[in-house]
Amino acid sequence: MNFLNVPYAEKDEARALGARWNPGKKRWYAPNGVALDAFAKWMPKEGEAPAAGGSGKPGGGRVDAYAAKLVTGSLYVELAHDCNPFEPCAECAPQLASSGWTAARASLLQSLSGLKR
């Protein structure tokens, strides 16, 4: 299954070519076994939302189905390699600290610890 970035105005054209709607993900997709050449203009490009089964890279956020744009939080940081930002990593620590992510996480943890009283 290959997810597509089909604008609402072009949904009928995509459907006529064989695309299907996934109601759970609220995205159009080209079923397995269908030639993808006809869907080239809707295929995700580098830096856009990954296809199904992706690791969340390079996007990392949810997709706004209306505009097919990647939506991320204000403190989103794209890491150079697949690592868990909640686990210590010498390679990512400087990048997370300089972005404000580490400080925001510490503040959140402090707030949450106050709720456990």
Side-chain angles (χ1 to χ4, degrees):
M1 178 180 324
N2 294 292
F3 283 99
L4 307 169
N5 294 330
V6 179
Y8 182 79
E10 299 175 7
K11 69 177 178 61
D12 294 329
E13 181 183 353
R15 181 182 295 141
L17 292 171
R20 300 284 182 254
W21 177 253
N22 182 319
K25 297 219 181 249
K26 296 185 178 179
R27 296 210 40 207
W28 287 94
Y29 67 93
N32 292 334
V34 174
L36 300 177
D37 297 340
F39 303 105
K41 72 178 189 177
W42 300 305
M43 294 296 288
K45 297 181 181 41
E46 187 65 31
E48 291 184 347
S55 66
K57 301 284 184 193
R62 69 178 174 84
V63 173
D64 180 352
Y66 175 74
K69 294 181 182 174
L70 189 61
V71 180
T72 59
S74 62
L75 293 175
Y76 173 76
V77 177
E78 186 170 348
L79 301 173
H81 65 284
D82 285 330
C83 96
N84 182 349
F86 298 102
E87 298 291 328
C89 174
E91 188 174 337
C92 296
Q95 184 180 3
L96 292 172
S98 67
S99 70
W101 187 92
T102 305
R105 180 173 185 257
S107 175
L108 178 64
L109 291 174
Q110 183 179 9
S111 297
L112 290 175
S113 68
L115 295 175
K116 294 180 181 179
R117 294 182 204 190

